Amino acid sequence: MSEASNPSRTAPTPASSGAPAVSVPRTLAGQKALVTGANSGIGRAVAIALGQAGADVVVNYVVGDDAAQSVVEEVRRGGVRAFAHQADVSSEEQVEAMFARACTELGTLDILVNNAGLQRDAPFATMTLAQWNTVIGINLTGQFLCARAAIREFLRRGVVPSVSCAAGKIICMSSVHQEIPWAGHPNYASSKGGIKMMMESLAQEVAPHHIRVNSIAPGAIRTPINTAAWNTPQAYTRLMTLVPYGRIGEPEDIARAAVWLASDQSDYVVGTTLFVDGGMTLYPGFATGG
Ligand code: BGC
């Protein structure tokens, strides 16, 4: 559909929290989105950006009511509906209840951003089964449970041409560590490697139904998950040896990619991983060696 046929798609976005007023294209006008782990970091930025692009947003979180509520308020500044929903994505029951509420309150869902994730780092020999299971449970099984619930809704509803060319979009938040091995983080790297194959297998299965499934693989982004990697000058300098582009990523770098992948602007993009990493996956050690 062209923008001209839907005037709401070019509506200006109100300024947020003192930032200058910018006109964000309303490429997601009328769409309904759910973002997991949306109370901080990348999920927060993605939820806000989806709202600025015109989508109604469910802000999922597991702990931190106040932070989730402040994201809801920020999303609403985009002139859209938003509410917070507490659910542990590794719980089948809680995920099912969350999607049931989302579809009841918003009518349906068009976009899932499978973002919730965490790290429980340890050397292999001392990693506990609990550390392993927690990371696999949230990062990988959580994405499976949420994707399954979204797919069921997308299949039930099908394509609504006035809303989107696709019957639904899923964006899996992966990591450069779906490719880069990471000593001391075998549970995390395994979960991200698993997300790669889950995403591609699912994308292949549901593409004939016009459902698009893709991943974003962030590199080092300034969020609470990796504070120790950037919050001192020494750590930042060390981190930059891994980033050819010479700066840390900001959550908004990922949010812009997510809006694009969720919109019809990327309509022919199916089953791909978009690396947003400042070149971290370019083997920077080989820039002067090899
Ligand atoms: C991890 C971060 C890390 C980055 C680059 C991300 O997936 O969550 O802790 O800084 O990868 O290594």
Side-chain angles (χ1 to χ4, degrees):
M1 152 184 278
S2 71
E3 292 201 339
S5 62
N6 184 351
S8 67
R9 291 192 173 193
T10 55
T13 299
S16 69
S17 55
V22 285
S23 186
V24 177
R26 305 283 275 185
T27 53
L28 304 177
Q31 301 199 41
K32 325 289 180 193
L34 189 152
V35 184
T36 66
N39 55 322
S40 76
I42 290 173
R44 175 181 188 278
V46 169
I48 292 167
L50 294 178
Q52 287 173 341
D56 296 334
V57 183
V58 181
V59 174
N60 161 258
Y61 70 106
V62 71
V63 285
D65 298 350
D66 291 351
Q69 202 47 46
S70 90
V71 176
V72 165
E73 277 150 33
E74 190 81 15
V75 173
R76 285 180 183 154
R77 293 202 183 122
V80 296
R81 286 187 289 170
F83 63 85
H85 185 96
Q86 184 175 27
D88 174 353
V89 295
S90 67
S91 158
E92 183 174 31
E93 194 186 349
Q94 291 181 38
V95 166
E96 290 298 308
M98 174 167 70
F99 278 79
R101 179 181 173 205
C103 291
T104 301
E105 294 206 14
L106 300 179
T108 187
L109 267 184
D110 305 286
I111 300 159
L112 164 66
V113 182
N114 243 341
N115 170 74
L118 45 67
Q119 292 179 212
R120 293 287 181 270
D121 309 327
F124 207 99
T126 56
M127 178 166 284
T128 64
L129 181 58
Q131 287 172 320
W132 177 270
N133 283 340
T134 298
V135 171
I136 298 296
I138 291 167
N139 295 15
L140 182 57
T141 308
Q143 289 213 12
F144 158 69
L145 290 171
C146 293
R148 189 182 64 175
I151 291 292
R152 287 173 177 165
E153 174 60 11
F154 299 163
L155 290 174
R156 181 200 68 74
R157 191 205 54 239
V159 177
V160 179
S162 60
V163 173
S164 174
C165 303
K169 284 86 54 162
I170 296 178
I171 298 161
C172 297
M173 207 55 72
S174 184
S175 165
V176 290
H177 298 296
Q178 74 169 37
E179 298 291 338
I180 303 176
W182 207 13
H185 312 257
N187 46 0
Y188 184 83
S190 299
S191 73
K192 298 300 183 178
I195 286 168
K196 175 182 191 290
M197 288 312 293
M198 184 195 74
M199 180 279 286
E200 292 178 4
S201 302
L202 175 57
Q204 187 190 61
E205 183 174 323
V206 299
H209 299 279
H210 272 222
I211 297 169
R212 295 193 299 113
V213 187
N214 292 286
S215 288
I216 296 173
I221 309 298
R222 193 193 309 272
T223 72
I225 204 171
N226 62 355
T227 309
W230 51 262
N231 75 342
T232 66
Q234 297 82 348
Y236 192 85
T237 301
R238 191 158 171 264
L239 182 62
M240 287 307 105
T241 66
L242 302 175
V243 185
Y245 203 59
R247 72 164 172 87
I248 193 169
E250 303 297 341
E252 291 72 22
D253 288 312
I254 306 302
R256 283 189 291 273
V259 169
W260 180 73
L261 277 178
S263 76
D264 286 351
Q265 308 263 308
S266 61
D267 188 52
Y268 207 51
V269 180
V270 174
T272 202
T273 298
L274 177 56
F275 285 81
V276 183
D277 67 353
M280 191 177 243
T281 36
L282 295 176
Y283 297 96
F286 278 78
T288 54

